[in-house]
CSV table of all heavy atoms in Angstrom, one decimal:
chain,number,residue,atom,x,y,z
A,6,HIS,N,122.4,97.4,91.0
A,6,HIS,CA,122.1,96.1,91.7
A,6,HIS,C,121.6,95.2,90.7
A,6,HIS,O,120.4,95.4,90.2
A,6,HIS,CB,121.2,96.4,92.8
A,6,HIS,CG,120.7,95.2,93.6
A,6,HIS,ND1,119.6,95.0,94.3
A,6,HIS,CD2,121.3,93.9,93.6
A,6,HIS,CE1,119.5,93.8,94.8
A,6,HIS,NE2,120.6,93.1,94.4
A,7,LEU,N,122.4,94.2,90.3
A,7,LEU,CA,121.9,93.2,89.3
A,7,LEU,C,121.4,92.0,90.1
A,7,LEU,O,122.2,91.2,90.8
A,7,LEU,CB,123.0,92.7,88.4
A,7,LEU,CG,123.5,93.7,87.3
A,7,LEU,CD1,124.1,95.0,87.9
A,7,LEU,CD2,124.5,93.0,86.4
A,8,ILE,N,120.1,91.8,90.1
A,8,ILE,CA,119.5,90.8,91.0
A,8,ILE,C,119.5,89.4,90.3
A,8,ILE,O,119.3,89.3,89.1
A,8,ILE,CB,118.1,91.1,91.4
A,8,ILE,CG1,117.1,91.2,90.2
A,8,ILE,CG2,118.1,92.5,92.2
A,8,ILE,CD1,115.6,91.3,90.7
A,9,ARG,N,119.8,88.4,91.1
A,9,ARG,CA,119.6,86.9,90.7
A,9,ARG,C,120.2,86.7,89.3
A,9,ARG,O,119.4,86.3,88.4
A,9,ARG,CB,118.1,86.5,90.8
A,9,ARG,CG,117.5,86.6,92.2
A,9,ARG,CD,116.2,86.0,92.3
A,9,ARG,NE,115.3,86.6,91.3
A,9,ARG,CZ,114.6,87.8,91.5
A,9,ARG,NH1,114.8,88.5,92.6
A,9,ARG,NH2,113.8,88.2,90.5
A,10,TRP,N,121.5,86.8,89.1
A,10,TRP,CA,122.0,86.5,87.8
A,10,TRP,C,121.9,85.0,87.6
A,10,TRP,O,122.5,84.2,88.2
A,10,TRP,CB,123.5,86.8,87.8
A,10,TRP,CG,124.1,86.7,86.4
A,10,TRP,CD1,124.6,85.5,85.9
A,10,TRP,CD2,124.3,87.7,85.5
A,10,TRP,NE1,125.0,85.7,84.6
A,10,TRP,CE2,124.9,87.0,84.3
A,10,TRP,CE3,123.9,89.0,85.4
A,10,TRP,CZ2,125.1,87.7,83.1
A,10,TRP,CZ3,124.3,89.7,84.2
A,10,TRP,CH2,124.9,89.1,83.1
A,11,ASP,N,121.0,84.6,86.7
A,11,ASP,CA,120.5,83.3,86.6
A,11,ASP,C,120.9,82.5,85.3
A,11,ASP,O,120.3,81.6,84.9
A,11,ASP,CB,119.0,83.2,86.7
A,11,ASP,CG,118.2,84.0,85.7
A,11,ASP,OD1,118.9,84.5,84.8
A,11,ASP,OD2,117.0,84.1,85.8
A,12,SER,N,122.0,83.0,84.7
A,12,SER,CA,122.5,82.4,83.4
A,12,SER,C,124.0,82.0,83.7
A,12,SER,O,124.8,82.8,84.2
A,12,SER,CB,122.4,83.3,82.3
A,12,SER,OG,123.1,82.8,81.1
A,13,PRO,N,124.4,80.9,83.3
A,13,PRO,CA,125.8,80.5,83.4
A,13,PRO,C,126.7,81.2,82.3
A,13,PRO,O,127.9,81.0,82.4
A,13,PRO,CB,125.8,79.0,83.2
A,13,PRO,CG,124.6,78.7,82.3
A,13,PRO,CD,123.6,79.8,82.8
A,14,LYS,N,126.1,81.9,81.4
A,14,LYS,CA,126.8,82.5,80.3
A,14,LYS,C,127.1,83.9,80.7
A,14,LYS,O,126.4,84.6,81.4
A,14,LYS,CB,126.0,82.5,79.0
A,14,LYS,CG,126.1,81.2,78.3
A,14,LYS,CD,125.4,81.3,76.9
A,14,LYS,CE,125.6,80.0,76.1
A,14,LYS,NZ,127.0,79.9,75.5
A,15,CYS,N,128.2,84.4,80.0
A,15,CYS,CA,128.5,85.9,80.0
A,15,CYS,C,128.9,86.5,81.4
A,15,CYS,O,128.8,87.7,81.5
A,15,CYS,CB,127.4,86.7,79.4
A,15,CYS,SG,127.0,86.2,77.7
A,16,TYR,N,129.3,85.7,82.3
A,16,TYR,CA,129.9,86.2,83.5
A,16,TYR,C,130.9,85.2,84.0
A,16,TYR,O,130.9,84.1,83.7
A,16,TYR,CB,128.8,86.5,84.6
A,16,TYR,CG,128.5,85.4,85.4
A,16,TYR,CD1,128.7,85.4,86.8
A,16,TYR,CD2,127.9,84.2,84.9
A,16,TYR,CE1,128.3,84.3,87.6
A,16,TYR,CE2,127.6,83.1,85.7
A,16,TYR,CZ,127.8,83.2,87.1
A,16,TYR,OH,127.5,82.1,87.9
A,17,TYR,N,131.9,85.7,84.8
A,17,TYR,CA,132.9,84.9,85.4
A,17,TYR,C,133.3,85.4,86.7
A,17,TYR,O,133.7,86.6,86.9
A,17,TYR,CB,134.1,84.9,84.4
A,17,TYR,CG,135.1,83.7,84.7
A,17,TYR,CD1,134.9,82.5,84.1
A,17,TYR,CD2,136.0,83.9,85.7
A,17,TYR,CE1,135.8,81.5,84.3
A,17,TYR,CE2,136.9,82.8,86.0
A,17,TYR,CZ,136.7,81.6,85.3
A,17,TYR,OH,137.6,80.5,85.6
A,18,VAL,N,133.2,84.5,87.7
A,18,VAL,CA,133.6,84.7,89.1
A,18,VAL,C,135.2,84.6,89.1
A,18,VAL,O,135.7,83.6,88.9
A,18,VAL,CB,133.0,83.8,90.1
A,18,VAL,CG1,133.5,84.1,91.5
A,18,VAL,CG2,131.5,83.9,90.0
A,19,VAL,N,135.9,85.7,89.4
A,19,VAL,CA,137.3,85.7,89.4
A,19,VAL,C,137.9,85.1,90.6
A,19,VAL,O,138.2,85.9,91.6
A,19,VAL,CB,137.8,87.2,89.1
A,19,VAL,CG1,139.4,87.2,88.9
A,19,VAL,CG2,137.1,87.8,87.9
A,20,ASP,N,138.0,83.9,90.7
A,20,ASP,CA,138.4,83.2,91.9
A,20,ASP,C,139.9,83.4,92.1
A,20,ASP,O,140.4,83.0,93.2
A,20,ASP,CB,138.0,81.7,91.9
A,20,ASP,CG,138.5,81.0,90.7
A,20,ASP,OD1,138.8,81.6,89.7
A,20,ASP,OD2,138.6,79.8,90.7
A,21,GLN,N,140.7,83.7,91.1
A,21,GLN,CA,142.1,83.9,91.2
A,21,GLN,C,142.5,85.4,91.3
A,21,GLN,O,143.6,85.7,90.9
A,21,GLN,CB,142.9,83.1,90.1
A,21,GLN,CG,142.8,83.7,88.7
A,21,GLN,CD,141.4,83.2,88.0
A,21,GLN,OE1,140.5,82.8,88.7
A,21,GLN,NE2,141.5,83.2,86.7
A,22,SER,N,141.6,86.2,91.7
A,22,SER,CA,141.9,87.6,91.7
A,22,SER,C,143.0,88.0,92.6
A,22,SER,O,143.1,87.4,93.7
A,22,SER,CB,140.6,88.4,92.1
A,22,SER,OG,140.9,89.8,92.3
A,23,PRO,N,143.8,89.0,92.2
A,23,PRO,CA,144.8,89.6,93.2
A,23,PRO,C,144.2,90.4,94.3
A,23,PRO,O,144.9,90.7,95.2
A,23,PRO,CB,145.7,90.4,92.2
A,23,PRO,CG,144.8,90.9,91.2
A,23,PRO,CD,143.9,89.7,90.9
A,24,PHE,N,142.9,90.6,94.2
A,24,PHE,CA,142.2,91.4,95.2
A,24,PHE,C,141.0,90.5,95.7
A,24,PHE,O,139.8,91.0,95.4
A,24,PHE,CB,141.7,92.8,94.7
A,24,PHE,CG,142.9,93.6,94.0
A,24,PHE,CD1,142.8,93.7,92.6
A,24,PHE,CD2,143.9,94.1,94.7
A,24,PHE,CE1,143.8,94.4,92.0
A,24,PHE,CE2,144.9,94.8,94.1
A,24,PHE,CZ,144.9,95.0,92.7
A,25,PRO,N,141.2,89.5,96.3
A,25,PRO,CA,140.1,88.5,96.6
A,25,PRO,C,139.0,89.1,97.5
A,25,PRO,O,137.8,88.7,97.4
A,25,PRO,CB,140.8,87.4,97.4
A,25,PRO,CG,142.0,88.0,97.9
A,25,PRO,CD,142.5,89.0,96.9
A,26,TYR,N,139.3,90.2,98.3
A,26,TYR,CA,138.3,90.8,99.1
A,26,TYR,C,137.3,91.6,98.4
A,26,TYR,O,136.2,91.8,98.8
A,26,TYR,CB,139.0,91.8,100.1
A,26,TYR,CG,139.8,92.9,99.5
A,26,TYR,CD1,139.2,94.1,99.1
A,26,TYR,CD2,141.1,92.7,99.1
A,26,TYR,CE1,139.9,95.1,98.5
A,26,TYR,CE2,141.9,93.8,98.5
A,26,TYR,CZ,141.2,94.9,98.2
A,26,TYR,OH,142.0,95.9,97.5
A,27,GLU,N,137.6,91.9,97.1
A,27,GLU,CA,136.6,92.6,96.2
A,27,GLU,C,135.5,91.6,95.7
A,27,GLU,O,134.5,92.1,95.3
A,27,GLU,CB,137.3,93.3,95.0
A,27,GLU,CG,138.2,94.4,95.4
A,27,GLU,CD,138.7,95.1,94.2
A,27,GLU,OE1,138.6,94.7,93.1
A,27,GLU,OE2,139.3,96.3,94.5
A,28,GLN,N,135.7,90.3,95.8
A,28,GLN,CA,134.8,89.4,95.3
A,28,GLN,C,134.3,89.7,93.9
A,28,GLN,O,133.1,89.8,93.6
A,28,GLN,CB,133.6,89.2,96.2
A,28,GLN,CG,134.0,88.8,97.7
A,28,GLN,CD,132.9,88.8,98.6
A,28,GLN,OE1,131.7,88.5,98.3
A,28,GLN,NE2,133.1,89.1,99.9
A,29,GLU,N,135.2,89.9,93.0
A,29,GLU,CA,135.0,90.4,91.7
A,29,GLU,C,134.3,89.4,90.7
A,29,GLU,O,134.6,88.2,90.8
A,29,GLU,CB,136.3,90.8,91.0
A,29,GLU,CG,136.1,91.5,89.7
A,29,GLU,CD,137.4,92.0,89.0
A,29,GLU,OE1,138.5,91.5,89.4
A,29,GLU,OE2,137.3,92.8,88.1
A,30,VAL,N,133.4,89.9,90.0
A,30,VAL,CA,132.7,89.1,88.9
A,30,VAL,C,132.8,90.0,87.6
A,30,VAL,O,132.5,91.2,87.6
A,30,VAL,CB,131.2,88.8,89.2
A,30,VAL,CG1,130.6,88.1,88.0
A,30,VAL,CG2,131.1,88.1,90.5
A,31,LEU,N,133.3,89.4,86.5
A,31,LEU,CA,133.4,90.1,85.2
A,31,LEU,C,132.2,89.7,84.4
A,31,LEU,O,131.9,88.5,84.2
A,31,LEU,CB,134.7,89.8,84.5
A,31,LEU,CG,136.0,90.3,85.2
A,31,LEU,CD1,137.2,89.7,84.5
A,31,LEU,CD2,136.1,91.8,85.1
A,32,LEU,N,131.6,90.8,83.8
A,32,LEU,CA,130.5,90.6,82.8
A,32,LEU,C,131.0,90.8,81.4
A,32,LEU,O,131.7,91.7,81.1
A,32,LEU,CB,129.4,91.6,83.1
A,32,LEU,CG,128.8,91.5,84.6
A,32,LEU,CD1,127.7,92.5,84.8
A,32,LEU,CD2,128.2,90.1,84.8
A,33,HIS,N,130.5,89.9,80.5
A,33,HIS,CA,130.9,90.0,79.1
A,33,HIS,C,130.4,91.2,78.4
A,33,HIS,O,129.3,91.7,78.7
A,33,HIS,CB,130.5,88.7,78.4
A,33,HIS,CG,131.0,88.5,77.0
A,33,HIS,ND1,130.3,89.1,75.9
A,33,HIS,CD2,132.1,87.9,76.6
A,33,HIS,CE1,131.1,88.7,74.8
A,33,HIS,NE2,132.1,88.0,75.2
A,34,ASP,N,131.2,91.7,77.5
A,34,ASP,CA,130.9,92.8,76.6
A,34,ASP,C,129.5,92.6,75.9
A,34,ASP,O,129.4,91.5,75.3
A,34,ASP,CB,132.0,93.0,75.6
A,34,ASP,CG,131.6,94.1,74.6
A,34,ASP,OD1,131.1,95.1,74.9
A,34,ASP,OD2,131.9,93.9,73.3
A,35,GLY,N,128.6,93.5,75.9
A,35,GLY,CA,127.4,93.3,75.2
A,35,GLY,C,126.2,92.8,76.0
A,35,GLY,O,125.1,92.6,75.4
A,36,VAL,N,126.4,92.5,77.3
A,36,VAL,CA,125.3,91.9,78.1
A,36,VAL,C,124.1,92.9,78.1
A,36,VAL,O,124.3,94.1,78.2
A,36,VAL,CB,125.8,91.7,79.5
A,36,VAL,CG1,124.6,91.5,80.5
A,36,VAL,CG2,126.7,90.5,79.5
A,37,ARG,N,122.9,92.4,78.0
A,37,ARG,CA,121.7,93.1,78.0
A,37,ARG,C,121.0,93.0,79.4
A,37,ARG,O,120.9,92.0,79.9
A,37,ARG,CB,120.7,92.7,76.9
A,37,ARG,CG,121.3,92.9,75.5
A,37,ARG,CD,120.4,92.4,74.4
A,37,ARG,NE,120.9,92.7,73.0
A,37,ARG,CZ,120.2,92.3,72.0
A,37,ARG,NH1,119.0,91.7,72.0
A,37,ARG,NH2,120.7,92.6,70.8
A,38,LEU,N,120.5,94.2,79.8
A,38,LEU,CA,119.9,94.2,81.2
A,38,LEU,C,118.6,95.0,81.1
A,38,LEU,O,118.5,96.0,80.5
A,38,LEU,CB,120.9,94.9,82.2
A,38,LEU,CG,122.2,94.2,82.3
A,38,LEU,CD1,123.1,95.2,83.1
A,38,LEU,CD2,122.1,92.8,83.0
A,39,PHE,N,117.6,94.5,81.8
A,39,PHE,CA,116.3,95.2,82.0
A,39,PHE,C,116.4,96.1,83.3
A,39,PHE,O,117.1,95.7,84.3
A,39,PHE,CB,115.1,94.3,82.2
A,39,PHE,CG,114.8,93.5,81.0
A,39,PHE,CD1,115.0,92.1,80.9
A,39,PHE,CD2,114.2,94.1,79.9
A,39,PHE,CE1,114.7,91.4,79.8
A,39,PHE,CE2,113.9,93.4,78.7
A,39,PHE,CZ,114.1,92.1,78.7
A,40,VAL,N,115.8,97.3,83.3
A,40,VAL,CA,115.8,98.1,84.4
A,40,VAL,C,114.4,97.9,85.2
A,40,VAL,O,113.4,98.1,84.7
A,40,VAL,CB,115.9,99.6,84.0
A,40,VAL,CG1,115.9,100.5,85.3
A,40,VAL,CG2,117.2,99.8,83.2
A,41,LEU,N,114.5,97.3,86.4
A,41,LEU,CA,113.3,96.9,87.1
A,41,LEU,C,112.8,98.0,88.0
A,41,LEU,O,111.6,98.2,88.2
A,41,LEU,CB,113.6,95.7,88.0
A,41,LEU,CG,114.0,94.4,87.2
A,41,LEU,CD1,114.2,93.3,88.2
A,41,LEU,CD2,113.0,94.0,86.2
A,42,ALA,N,113.8,98.8,88.7
A,42,ALA,CA,113.3,99.8,89.6
A,42,ALA,C,114.4,100.8,89.9
A,42,ALA,O,115.6,100.5,89.6
A,42,ALA,CB,112.9,99.2,90.9
A,43,MET,N,114.1,102.0,90.4
A,43,MET,CA,115.1,103.0,90.8
A,43,MET,C,114.6,103.6,92.1
A,43,MET,O,113.5,103.9,92.3
A,43,MET,CB,115.3,104.1,89.7
A,43,MET,CG,115.9,103.6,88.5
A,43,MET,SD,116.1,104.8,87.2
A,43,MET,CE,117.3,105.9,88.0
A,44,ASP,N,115.6,103.8,93.0
A,44,ASP,CA,115.3,104.3,94.3
A,44,ASP,C,116.4,105.2,94.8
A,44,ASP,O,117.5,105.1,94.4
A,44,ASP,CB,115.1,103.2,95.4
A,44,ASP,CG,114.0,102.2,95.0
A,44,ASP,OD1,112.8,102.7,95.1
A,44,ASP,OD2,114.3,101.1,94.6
A,45,GLU,N,116.1,106.1,95.8
A,45,GLU,CA,117.1,106.9,96.4
A,45,GLU,C,117.3,106.4,97.8
A,45,GLU,O,116.4,106.1,98.6
A,45,GLU,CB,116.6,108.3,96.5
A,45,GLU,CG,116.3,109.0,95.2
A,45,GLU,CD,117.5,109.1,94.3
A,45,GLU,OE1,118.6,109.5,94.9
A,45,GLU,OE2,117.4,109.0,93.1
A,46,LYS,N,118.6,106.2,98.1
A,46,LYS,CA,119.0,105.6,99.4
A,46,LYS,C,120.0,106.6,100.1
A,46,LYS,O,120.6,107.5,99.5
A,46,LYS,CB,119.6,104.3,99.2
A,46,LYS,CG,118.7,103.2,98.6
A,46,LYS,CD,117.7,102.7,99.6
A,46,LYS,CE,116.9,101.6,99.0
A,46,LYS,NZ,115.9,101.1,100.0
A,47,GLU,N,120.2,106.4,101.4
A,47,GLU,CA,121.1,107.2,102.2
A,47,GLU,C,122.1,106.3,103.0
A,47,GLU,O,121.6,105.2,103.5
A,47,GLU,CB,120.4,108.1,103.1
A,47,GLU,CG,121.4,109.0,103.9
A,47,GLU,CD,120.6,110.0,104.8
A,47,GLU,OE1,119.4,110.0,104.7
A,47,GLU,OE2,121.3,110.7,105.6
A,48,GLU,N,123.3,106.5,102.9
A,48,GLU,CA,124.3,105.7,103.7
A,48,GLU,C,125.4,106.7,104.2
A,48,GLU,O,126.0,107.5,103.5
A,48,GLU,CB,125.0,104.7,102.7
A,48,GLU,CG,125.9,103.8,103.4
A,48,GLU,CD,125.3,102.6,103.9
A,48,GLU,OE1,124.1,102.3,103.5
A,48,GLU,OE2,125.9,101.8,104.7
A,49,GLU,N,125.5,106.7,105.5
A,49,GLU,CA,126.5,107.5,106.2
A,49,GLU,C,126.3,109.0,105.9
A,49,GLU,O,127.2,109.7,105.6
A,49,GLU,CB,127.9,107.1,105.8
A,49,GLU,CG,128.2,105.6,106.3
A,49,GLU,CD,129.7,105.2,105.8
A,49,GLU,OE1,130.4,106.1,105.2
A,49,GLU,OE2,130.0,104.1,106.1
A,50,GLY,N,125.0,109.3,105.8
A,50,GLY,CA,124.7,110.8,105.5
A,50,GLY,C,124.8,111.2,104.1
A,50,GLY,O,124.7,112.3,103.7
A,51,LYS,N,125.1,110.2,103.2
A,51,LYS,CA,125.3,110.6,101.7
A,51,LYS,C,124.2,109.9,100.9
A,51,LYS,O,123.8,108.7,101.2
A,51,LYS,CB,126.6,110.1,101.3
A,51,LYS,CG,127.8,110.7,102.0
A,51,LYS,CD,129.1,110.2,101.5
A,51,LYS,CE,130.3,110.9,102.2
A,51,LYS,NZ,131.6,110.3,101.7
A,52,MET,N,123.6,110.6,100.0
A,52,MET,CA,122.5,110.1,99.2
A,52,MET,C,123.1,109.5,97.9
A,52,MET,O,124.1,109.9,97.4
A,52,MET,CB,121.6,111.2,98.8
A,52,MET,CG,120.9,111.9,99.9
A,52,MET,SD,119.8,110.7,100.9
A,52,MET,CE,118.6,110.3,99.6
């Protein structure tokens, strides 16, 4: 979960995607990310 992507650089919303339902965003090679938190969740009986 990448929260609040707040830079106009190094990402691209693929508005002409052949799979528009996926709402795809491409991130540029080499992007650096901080790890803020980790949690265990359950969805449909699966962890």
Side-chain angles (χ1 to χ4, degrees):
H6 178 199
L7 285 68
I8 64 169
R9 298 187 306 279
W10 187 275
D11 57 8
S12 170
K14 280 185 172 289
C15 297
Y16 87 118
Y17 196 90
V18 178
V19 188
D20 56 338
Q21 69 275 22
S22 170
F24 312 109
Y26 60 89
E27 292 188 349
Q28 300 178 33
E29 184 179 20
V30 177
L31 290 173
L32 301 179
H33 188 271
D34 174 41
V36 164
R37 296 177 178 182
L38 303 168
F39 292 111
V40 181
L41 300 184
M43 293 182 64
D44 300 287
E45 298 298 320
K46 299 286 186 179
E47 183 177 355
E48 187 86 16
E49 300 177 359
K51 298 179 181 180
M52 299 297 299

